C-alpha cells in the first residue's frame, strides 16, 4: 500500500493499480492477480478458504451483536465498531469445536474476552463515568438485568464534554446466539433464531451536572418476554452515559462525549 501524493486524486483501478480513499488519505495498491476461482478451488488456498469462512461467520455474529444494541449504539459507537466486534468474535473461534473453517462460534463459553469492550475507543466508558457501583447484575435465567448506582458527586465522577449540562445513565442488554457451520447452506447460522439480535435499553432520568445526584440511581430491564432463553444464547449487559445540553427548558443530545462498554455477560 502506498500514499498517492499527486494533486490528481483517482478512485478505481488503472493499469493494475487500485486507487481509493480511506480516512481522508488517498491510497494506492496493486490489483490482486489471484482469481476468485483459484482461491475457491486450488488446494494451496485451502487455509485461505477456511479463514474466509470463519471470518464470514464472525461478521454475521457481529452483525447480530450490533443489532441487539441498535437502540443506543448510534450514539455511543465509533466508526470501527463493526470491524472491532468482528475481530473480537473471530479471536474466540479457535476455542470452538469442529474442523478448521467450520468451527463453532461459542460465545456462551467464551464471555470473558468481551467484558470491558468499549463501543467507542476514543471515549472509553470508564474515562467518562467512574462512580463506584457493583455493575449490572444478570439473573441466572437471563431474563432480567439490574444496575444500581449509589448516590455520587457528578463533579468528581463524570467527565463532561464541552457544553453538557445534564446526562443520562443507560443500561442496555442484548442477546446473541452461538453460531455454527451449516454444511447444506455452506454458511454460518445462529444456533437459535430467537432471541438472537434482540435487545432493550433503559435510560435514567436526566441528571444535572454539578454536585451530588441526591439519591441512588436504579435501572432495570425486564426481558421476560424473551424467556425461556436458550442455553446457547449469551446475554450481554452494557452500561452507558449520554450527555445533553439544556436550552430553554429543552434537553438536546450532544454530538459527542457519549460512551458505553460491556460490563457483564452470561
Amino acid at each position: 500500500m502506498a500514499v498517492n501524493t499527486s494533486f490528481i486524486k483517482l478512485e478505481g483501478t488503472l493499469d493494475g493499480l487500485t486507487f481509493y480513499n480511506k480516512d481522508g488519505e488517498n491510497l494506492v495498491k496493486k490489483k490482486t492477480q489471484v482469481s476468485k476461482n483459484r482461491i475457491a478451488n486450488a488446494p494451496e488456498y485451502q487455509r485461505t478458504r477456511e479463514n474466509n469462512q470463519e471470518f464470514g461467520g464472525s461478521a454475521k455474529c457481529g452483525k447480530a451483536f450490533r443489532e441487539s444494541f441498535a437502540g443506543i449504539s448510534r450514539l455511543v459507537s465509533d466508526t470501527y465498531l463493526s470491524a472491532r466486534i468482528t475481530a473480537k468474535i473471530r479471536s474466540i473461534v479457535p476455542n470452538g469445536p469442529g474442523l478448521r473453517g467450520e468451527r463453532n462460534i461459542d460465545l456462551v463459553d467464551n464471555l470473558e474476552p468481551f467484558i470491558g469492550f468499549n463501543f467507542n475507543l476514543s471515549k472509553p466508558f470508564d474515562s467518562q463515568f467512574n462512580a463506584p457501583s457493583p455493575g449490572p447484575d444478570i439473573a441466572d435465567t437471563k431474563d432480567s438485568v439490574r444496575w444500581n448506582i449509589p448516590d455520587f458527586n457528578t463533579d468528581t465522577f463524570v467527565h463532561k464534554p464541552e457544553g453538557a449540562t445534564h446526562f443520562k445513565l443507560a443500561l442496555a442488554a442484548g442477546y446473541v446466539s452461538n453460531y455454527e457451520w451449516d454444511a447444506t447452506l455452506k454458511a454460518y447460522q445462529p444456533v437459535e433464531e430467537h432471541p438472537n439480535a434482540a435487545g432493550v435499553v433503559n435510560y435514567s432520568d436526566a441528571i444535572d451536572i454539578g454536585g451530588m445526584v441526591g439519591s441512588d440511581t436504579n435501572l432495570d430491564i425486564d426481558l421476560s418476554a424473551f424467556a425461556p432463553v436458550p442455553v446457547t444464547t449469551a446475554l450481554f449487559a452494557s452500561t452507558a452515559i449520554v450527555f445533553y445540553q439544556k436550552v430553554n427548558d429543552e434537553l438536546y443530545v450532544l454530538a459527542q462525549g457519549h460512551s458505553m462498554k460491556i460490563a457483564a455477560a452470561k
Side-chain angles (χ1 to χ4, degrees):
M1 179 185 72
V3 177
N4 176 18
T5 59
S6 169
F7 70 92
I8 301 175
K9 306 305 180 186
L10 302 175
E11 288 193 20
T13 301
L14 177 66
D15 291 336
L17 298 175
T18 298
F19 297 83
Y20 63 103
N21 184 284
K22 182 178 181 181
D23 298 333
E25 280 194 302
N26 293 286
L27 307 175
V28 59
K29 63 181 180 180
K30 286 186 177 180
K31 182 180 178 182
T32 178
Q33 300 300 311
V34 182
S35 69
K36 290 183 179 179
N37 181 65
R38 184 178 176 191
I39 293 175
N41 297 285
E44 63 268 29
Y45 286 99
Q46 176 65 25
R47 185 58 56 85
T48 300
R49 291 192 293 274
E50 293 169 350
N51 289 336
N52 286 347
Q53 286 177 184
E54 292 182 343
F55 179 83
S58 300
K60 186 177 287 188
C61 184
K63 181 181 179 181
F65 176 92
R66 298 194 312 276
E67 289 176 349
S68 73
F69 291 104
I72 190 174
S73 64
R74 70 175 184 83
L75 286 174
V76 298
S77 301
D78 59 31
T79 57
Y80 301 104
L81 175 64
S82 176
R84 292 193 298 109
I85 194 60
T86 295
K88 180 67 70 175
I89 294 170
R90 179 68 181 86
S91 72
I92 70 166
V93 172
N95 299 334
L99 301 174
R100 281 189 60 94
E102 303 175 3
R103 291 176 289 193
N104 290 357
I105 301 175
D106 186 359
L107 293 175
V108 173
D109 292 327
N110 294 276
L111 295 172
E112 187 60 32
F114 295 90
I115 304 301
F117 178 88
N118 278 285
F119 283 62
N120 188 334
L121 281 180
S122 67
K123 290 288 185 293
F125 178 77
D126 292 341
S127 71
Q128 303 300 94
F129 177 78
N130 58 2
S133 82
D137 179 48
I138 300 175
D140 290 339
T141 50
K142 294 191 282 193
D143 59 2
S144 67
V145 185
R146 162 166 279 208
W147 184 27
N148 171 258
I149 309 98
D151 191 14
F152 62 91
N153 190 318
T154 60
D155 292 317
T156 303
F157 297 109
V158 174
H159 183 105
K160 69 172 185 175
E162 184 177 354
T165 60
H166 294 73
F167 66 92
K168 292 182 182 181
L169 296 174
L171 176 63
Y175 290 109
V176 187
S177 171
N178 288 349
Y179 276 67
E180 62 184 10
W181 178 256
D182 188 313
T184 302
L185 297 176
K186 296 188 180 303
Y188 276 88
Q189 299 295 324
V191 175
E192 297 287 348
E193 291 285 353
H194 180 82
N196 185 43
V200 176
V201 183
N202 186 19
Y203 289 88
S204 72
D205 293 334
I207 301 170
D208 291 0
I209 298 177
M212 300 295 292
V213 175
S215 63
D216 292 359
T217 302
N218 295 304
L219 292 172
D220 291 277
I221 291 182
D222 181 3
L223 299 163
S224 58
F226 301 107
V229 181
V231 296
T232 53
T233 297
L235 176 59
F236 296 96
S238 296
T239 53
I241 186 168
V242 177
F243 291 96
Y244 298 80
Q245 184 178 71
K246 194 170 188 177
V247 180
N248 296 329
D249 292 327
E250 292 289 335
L251 288 176
Y252 296 90
V253 179
L254 292 184
Q256 71 283 331
H258 324 302
S259 59
M260 184 167 80
K261 73 171 182 180
I262 297 176
K266 186 167 286 186

